[in-house]
Amino acid sequence: MSDLIEMDKDTASLKDRSGAKHLFGGVVIAELLQKAGVTLNSDLRGENLSKYLLVKASDGYEVLFSLAEIDNNFTERKIILAYEMDGKPLPSEKGSLRLIVPDEKIPARSCYEVVTFYIGWAKERP
Protein backbone atom coordinates (compact mmCIF):
# COMPACT_ATOMS: atom_id res chain seq x y z
CA MET A 1 0.00 0.00 0.00
CA SER A 2 2.82 2.42 0.83
CA ASP A 3 4.25 1.95 -2.70
CA LEU A 4 0.86 2.84 -4.23
CA ILE A 5 0.48 5.94 -2.08
CA GLU A 6 3.93 7.13 -3.19
CA MET A 7 2.91 6.97 -6.87
CA ASP A 8 1.12 9.84 -8.62
CA LYS A 9 -2.49 9.96 -7.47
CA ASP A 10 -5.34 10.44 -9.91
CA THR A 11 -9.09 10.48 -9.41
CA ALA A 12 -12.16 9.01 -11.07
CA SER A 13 -15.83 9.28 -10.22
CA LEU A 14 -18.35 6.50 -10.05
CA LYS A 15 -21.99 6.31 -9.00
CA ASP A 16 -23.05 3.77 -6.39
CA ARG A 17 -26.21 1.68 -6.66
CA SER A 18 -28.32 4.44 -5.15
CA GLY A 19 -27.08 6.91 -7.79
CA ALA A 20 -24.82 8.90 -5.44
CA LYS A 21 -21.60 10.00 -7.11
CA HIS A 22 -18.30 9.33 -5.31
CA LEU A 23 -14.76 10.49 -6.08
CA PHE A 24 -12.13 7.77 -5.85
CA GLY A 25 -8.40 8.39 -5.52
CA GLY A 26 -5.67 5.99 -6.49
CA VAL A 27 -3.18 4.97 -9.15
CA VAL A 28 -3.92 4.81 -12.87
CA ILE A 29 -3.63 1.14 -13.85
CA ALA A 30 -1.64 1.95 -17.00
CA GLU A 31 1.04 3.68 -14.92
CA LEU A 32 1.16 0.82 -12.43
CA LEU A 33 1.50 -1.77 -15.20
CA GLN A 34 4.12 0.27 -17.01
CA LYS A 35 6.16 0.49 -13.81
CA ALA A 36 5.92 -3.32 -13.56
CA GLY A 37 7.29 -3.70 -17.11
CA VAL A 38 4.06 -4.74 -18.84
CA THR A 39 3.93 -4.22 -22.62
CA LEU A 40 2.23 -0.86 -23.25
CA ASN A 41 2.53 2.27 -25.38
CA SER A 42 4.54 1.88 -28.62
CA ASP A 43 5.25 -1.81 -27.86
CA LEU A 44 1.54 -2.63 -27.74
CA ARG A 45 1.13 -3.72 -31.36
CA GLY A 46 1.06 -6.92 -33.38
CA GLU A 47 0.80 -10.07 -31.28
CA ASN A 48 1.10 -7.99 -28.09
CA LEU A 49 -2.46 -6.82 -28.77
CA SER A 50 -3.62 -10.27 -27.63
CA LYS A 51 -2.35 -9.64 -24.08
CA TYR A 52 -4.83 -9.08 -21.28
CA LEU A 53 -5.13 -8.12 -17.63
CA LEU A 54 -7.12 -10.39 -15.33
CA VAL A 55 -8.03 -8.70 -12.04
CA LYS A 56 -8.86 -10.99 -9.13
CA ALA A 57 -10.71 -10.07 -5.95
CA SER A 58 -10.36 -11.82 -2.59
CA ASP A 59 -13.88 -13.26 -2.85
CA GLY A 60 -13.07 -15.03 -6.15
CA TYR A 61 -14.62 -12.38 -8.42
CA GLU A 62 -12.62 -11.79 -11.62
CA VAL A 63 -12.76 -9.19 -14.39
CA LEU A 64 -10.88 -9.03 -17.67
CA PHE A 65 -9.44 -6.22 -19.83
CA SER A 66 -7.44 -6.26 -23.03
CA LEU A 67 -4.28 -4.20 -22.55
CA ALA A 68 -5.53 -1.87 -25.30
CA GLU A 69 -8.49 -0.95 -23.05
CA ILE A 70 -5.97 0.33 -20.50
CA ASP A 71 -3.26 1.86 -22.69
CA ASN A 72 -3.35 5.66 -23.04
CA ASN A 73 -2.44 5.37 -26.74
CA PHE A 74 -5.75 3.57 -27.35
CA THR A 75 -8.12 5.26 -24.92
CA GLU A 76 -8.67 8.46 -22.96
CA ARG A 77 -10.28 6.56 -20.08
CA LYS A 78 -8.22 6.16 -16.94
CA ILE A 79 -8.93 3.02 -14.95
CA ILE A 80 -7.88 3.51 -11.34
CA LEU A 81 -6.77 1.16 -8.59
CA ALA A 82 -8.37 3.16 -5.78
CA TYR A 83 -7.38 3.21 -2.14
CA GLU A 84 -9.65 6.08 -1.08
CA MET A 85 -13.22 7.25 -1.60
CA ASP A 86 -14.29 10.86 -1.09
CA GLY A 87 -10.90 11.66 0.49
CA LYS A 88 -11.05 8.83 3.06
CA PRO A 89 -9.75 5.23 3.02
CA LEU A 90 -12.13 2.76 1.40
CA PRO A 91 -14.68 1.25 3.80
CA SER A 92 -12.98 -1.69 5.55
CA GLU A 93 -15.80 -4.09 4.68
CA LYS A 94 -15.03 -3.51 0.97
CA GLY A 95 -11.27 -4.19 1.20
CA SER A 96 -8.37 -1.78 0.90
CA LEU A 97 -8.28 -1.62 -2.93
CA ARG A 98 -11.03 -1.18 -5.52
CA LEU A 99 -10.86 -1.05 -9.27
CA ILE A 100 -12.68 1.98 -10.69
CA VAL A 101 -13.71 1.74 -14.34
CA PRO A 102 -15.39 5.03 -15.28
CA ASP A 103 -17.93 5.48 -18.06
CA GLU A 104 -19.31 1.94 -18.18
CA LYS A 105 -23.09 1.63 -18.17
CA ILE A 106 -22.92 -1.20 -15.62
CA PRO A 107 -20.16 -0.91 -12.98
CA ALA A 108 -19.60 -4.69 -12.84
CA ARG A 109 -15.86 -4.38 -13.56
CA SER A 110 -15.38 -1.79 -10.79
CA CYS A 111 -14.70 -4.57 -8.32
CA TYR A 112 -13.91 -4.48 -4.61
CA GLU A 113 -11.24 -6.34 -2.64
CA VAL A 114 -8.65 -6.39 -5.46
CA VAL A 115 -5.77 -8.69 -4.58
CA THR A 116 -4.11 -9.87 -7.82
CA PHE A 117 -3.29 -8.65 -11.30
CA TYR A 118 -2.42 -11.33 -13.83
CA ILE A 119 -1.06 -10.53 -17.31
CA GLY A 120 -1.71 -13.23 -19.90
CA TRP A 121 -1.75 -13.92 -23.62
CA ALA A 122 -4.88 -15.02 -25.45
CA LYS A 123 -2.71 -17.54 -27.32
CA GLU A 124 -2.05 -19.34 -23.99
CA ARG A 125 -5.64 -20.54 -23.78
CA PRO A 126 -6.21 -24.32 -23.86
Side-chain angles (χ1 to χ4, degrees), residues 91-111:
S92 60
E93 68 273 8
K94 299 292 187 178
S96 58
L97 296 171
R98 181 177 182 187
L99 199 66
I100 303 299
V101 186
D103 304 327
E104 291 194 325
K105 290 181 180 182
I106 300 171
R109 294 197 295 177
S110 293
C111 57

Side-chain angles (χ1 to χ4, degrees), residues 1-9 27 32 35 81 83 96-97:
M1 183 63 79
S2 62
D3 290 338
L4 289 176
I5 292 171
E6 289 179 16
M7 293 181 70
D8 291 339
K9 183 171 112 176
V27 177
L32 182 62
K35 188 170 184 158
L81 182 62
Y83 49 80
S96 58
L97 296 171

Side-chain angles (χ1 to χ4, degrees), residues 61-102:
Y61 193 74
E62 297 178 337
V63 295
L64 186 73
F65 300 88
S66 71
L67 289 188
E69 288 181 273
I70 297 165
D71 191 297
N72 296 336
N73 288 337
F74 287 86
T75 183
E76 295 293 322
R77 177 172 61 179
K78 293 180 182 179
I79 300 172
I80 304 247
L81 182 62
Y83 49 80
E84 66 180 36
M85 179 177 80
D86 298 328
K88 298 175 185 171
L90 292 174
S92 60
E93 68 273 8
K94 299 292 187 178
S96 58
L97 296 171
R98 181 177 182 187
L99 199 66
I100 303 299
V101 186

